[in-house]
Amino acid sequence: MDTEVQAAVSCWWDPELDDQLRCVAVHQETHDVRSFTFVSPAGKQFRFGSGQYFLFDFPVGDAVESRCYSISSPPTRPGSFTVTVKRVAGGVVSNWLHDNLTPGATVRAQGPRGTFLRPVAETRKYLFLSGGSGITPVMSMLREIADTAEVSDVVFLHAGRTPQDFVFREELALLAARIKGLRLFLLPEARGAEPSWPGLTARISAELMALAVPDMAERVVMCCGPAPFMAAARSIAASLGVPPGRYLEESFDAAVLEAPLPEVTPATRTFKVQFAKQNRTIEVGAEQTVLSCAKKAGVRIPSSCANGICGTCKSRLVSGSVDMTHGGGIRQREIDAGLFLPCCSRPLSDLVIER
């Protein structure tokens, strides 16, 4: 390979090979939210889409805890990326991040991953709808629109408990003043410690959305937030005429939700599962998922939700068959092309997997 071409290729982060990140900045966004900025120690740049996330492995105590965090910075600034994390009461990883991760620390991560991407070819009319720390992926999208001076028609409705909980509040106000096609709605449930808050206090409802976004049915809705918030948003969008194909939500939870392994008894049928690239073969019971057994055996497969939703563990099935019950994390055309999700698949035969 030509030296210049080789140098150009090697300057980009390779999701298949690279996994080391160095934290270079920590910024306090609100009383319980911080942003963490990472670079490649090798000086590589990052290609990602606004709305995607990284899967991190953090050394918490004697264990390694894996969590997904959406990128809040835009892809137009490829020298680094930022994730924004809310401290959660009792949260093992979020509290560890807030208490321990400082500039200079090195962590492992895989990505970028995720399919929560803005369909730019279909329309330029969007409703960005976020609740709490769910603002991070849509903030990346808004920052990208600002950086590229993209001509778009964006309504950005962000909901939180109180005005003091609004992440990126000052930056959002600046962007609303700068981007001509942006209308910003900040919607707290209560005024909290800011009794002079001039706007509404409420939760999202069909009546409120019909008044705030009367042309909602014409927009692509990009939604991210707590599960109850997204359930309400999904129902409201449907009731106001948003076609299902125009409603997109980030559906992974930052928690690993995998259930304990079902016990293998002498009567349980087991199958040999080979991971070709890692030259490993394990046994998996007919009632066990491929991912749960792989993780227990130390076979490396990137994963997140463990529920067939996020698509992080998507793998190629070279031979064999599985019983897969997914939650939307894989498309039919991908299944037809030989891909599957180990997190929600149980073997029906011996398997060979391209991992």
Side-chain angles (χ1 to χ4, degrees):
M1 182 181 294
D2 179 88
T3 303
E4 291 186 2
V5 173
Q6 190 171 26
V9 170
S10 62
C11 78
W12 291 100
W13 168 276
D14 187 337
E16 296 297 325
L17 300 175
D18 296 315
D19 64 359
Q20 297 291 314
L21 294 172
R22 178 183 300 132
C23 177
V24 294
V26 178
H27 181 69
Q28 192 80 36
E29 302 285 0
T30 70
H31 61 98
D32 60 355
V33 175
R34 287 183 177 178
S35 288
F36 302 88
T37 298
F38 300 93
V39 300
S40 159
K44 297 185 177 182
Q45 300 191 70
F46 301 92
R47 287 191 183 98
F48 61 89
S50 55
Q52 289 194 296
Y53 62 88
F54 270 77
L55 173 65
F56 291 85
D57 292 333
F58 296 113
V60 180
D62 296 330
V64 174
E65 297 284 348
S66 299
R67 292 292 187 277
C68 293
Y69 289 110
S70 292
I71 303 167
S72 55
S73 56
T76 45
R77 309 169 200 174
S80 64
F81 74 87
T82 300
V83 300
T84 302
V85 181
K86 177 182 172 63
R87 182 190 285 274
V88 178
V92 174
V93 175
S94 65
N95 288 336
W96 183 89
L97 279 166
H98 277 248
D99 295 337
N100 295 281
L101 191 61
T102 56
T106 300
V107 299
R108 292 181 61 190
Q110 300 166 48
R113 301 186 181 279
T115 59
F116 184 60
L117 299 169
R118 194 164 51 99
V120 293
E122 183 179 350
T123 182
R124 298 288 182 178
K125 293 187 70 172
Y126 303 101
L127 169 60
F128 294 166
L129 190 54
S130 59
S133 58
I135 193 174
T136 52
V138 286
M139 192 64 190
S140 174
M141 296 175 189
L142 187 64
R143 285 167 165 163
E144 180 184 29
I145 288 172
D147 283 357
T148 59
E150 176 183 321
V151 178
S152 296
D153 179 348
V154 179
V155 176
F156 195 136
L157 193 152
H158 178 55
R161 289 178 300 176
T162 72
Q164 297 77 51
D165 294 305
F166 288 138
V167 188
F168 312 129
R169 179 178 173 181
E170 293 182 356
E171 183 180 352
L172 283 169
L174 290 172
L175 290 174
R178 172 186 167 192
I179 302 174
K180 304 306 180 188
L182 171 63
R183 284 190 292 142
L184 175 65
F185 291 90
L186 297 178
L187 184 66
E189 293 181 19
R191 292 185 173 86
E194 195 169 318
S196 60
W197 172 257
L200 293 173
T201 57
R203 293 187 175 184
I204 58 170
S205 64
E207 292 77 12
L208 185 147
M209 296 302 296
L211 287 172
V213 198
D215 58 349
M216 187 171 172
E218 301 171 13
R219 298 178 177 273
V220 170
V221 181
M222 308 294 296
C223 181
C224 186
F229 177 86
M230 289 199 295
R234 196 181 312 124
S235 175
I236 292 168
S239 70
L240 295 181
V242 178
R246 283 177 169 248
Y247 176 86
L248 292 84
E249 64 180 29
E250 177 55 286
S251 54
F252 76 78
D253 195 314
V256 176
L257 303 173
E258 195 166 4
L261 277 175
E263 184 179 355
V264 176
T265 67
T268 303
R269 190 176 183 191
T270 62
F271 299 97
K272 294 187 181 302
V273 177
Q274 178 185 355
F275 298 88
K277 290 185 176 179
Q278 298 177 60
N279 194 27
R280 294 284 308 276
T281 300
I282 64 174
E283 289 201 344
V284 179
E287 300 302 321
Q288 297 174 317
T289 67
V290 174
L291 178 64
S292 60
C293 292
K295 289 179 69 175
K296 186 178 181 181
V299 177
R300 191 180 182 210
I301 301 179
S303 63
S304 177
C305 72
N307 283 322
I309 296 173
C310 71
T312 303
C313 65
K314 198 176 298 175
S315 304
R316 184 170 300 282
L317 186 59
V318 178
S319 66
S321 59
V322 297
D323 176 18
M324 178 169 63
T325 305
H326 66 84
I330 189 169
R331 297 169 180 167
Q332 185 56 49
R333 65 172 181 265
E334 295 175 314
I335 298 172
D336 295 341
L339 299 174
F340 82 117
L341 298 179
C343 69
C344 57
S345 295
R346 293 165 174 78
L348 297 172
S349 68
D350 291 343
L351 308 176
V352 177
I353 299 170
E354 192 178 85
R355 282 285 187 185

